[in-house]
Amino acid sequence: MSNMENTELLAYLEKLDEDSVWFNEKYGCLRTYQGRVVAIKNKQIIAVRDNVEELLKELEKMKEDPAFLLIEAVPPENIAFIL
């Protein structure tokens, strides 16, 4: 991998980390999206759909590459994750 590729990869990973931190910080405010899947880019929700398949189709229409986005499910209120 060239230095430019490494630099681009590092920048992408830093953006992805920033979006992940943003999602976790705003998680309480995202209850309107319960039971849905969201795509996040630059700390903004750019698409919301009921499932991943629909979200991927929407992202394709938007000409967004899902490989460069944070995609997260917002579980319904009565669902808990054990980590």
Side-chain angles (χ1 to χ4, degrees):
M1 216 181 249
S2 71
N3 285 339
M4 183 55 126
E5 289 172 337
N6 286 337
T7 302
E8 290 172 357
L9 180 59
L10 183 58
Y12 160 71
L13 292 173
E14 287 173 351
K15 285 279 189 192
L16 192 60
D17 185 57
E18 290 173 9
D19 287 342
S20 181
V21 168
W22 178 87
F23 176 79
N24 289 318
E25 288 174 350
K26 301 295 182 187
Y27 190 78
C29 300
L30 301 175
R31 293 179 189 248
T32 56
Y33 303 113
Q34 286 181 9
R36 303 186 84 191
V37 184
V38 298
I40 301 167
K41 180 179 181 180
N42 299 325
K43 301 178 187 174
Q44 293 184 353
I45 295 174
I46 63 167
V48 181
R49 292 294 178 266
D50 290 332
N51 59 56
V52 173
E53 183 177 299
E54 289 177 10
L55 183 69
L56 293 176
K57 287 178 184 176
E58 180 63 20
L59 293 172
E60 185 177 333
K61 289 178 190 174
M62 297 169 65
K63 304 213 183 300
E64 291 285 352
D65 185 344
F68 296 98
L69 304 172
L70 180 66
I71 297 177
E72 291 283 350
V74 182
E77 190 171 356
N78 59 347
I79 300 292
F81 291 113
I82 300 173
L83 302 175

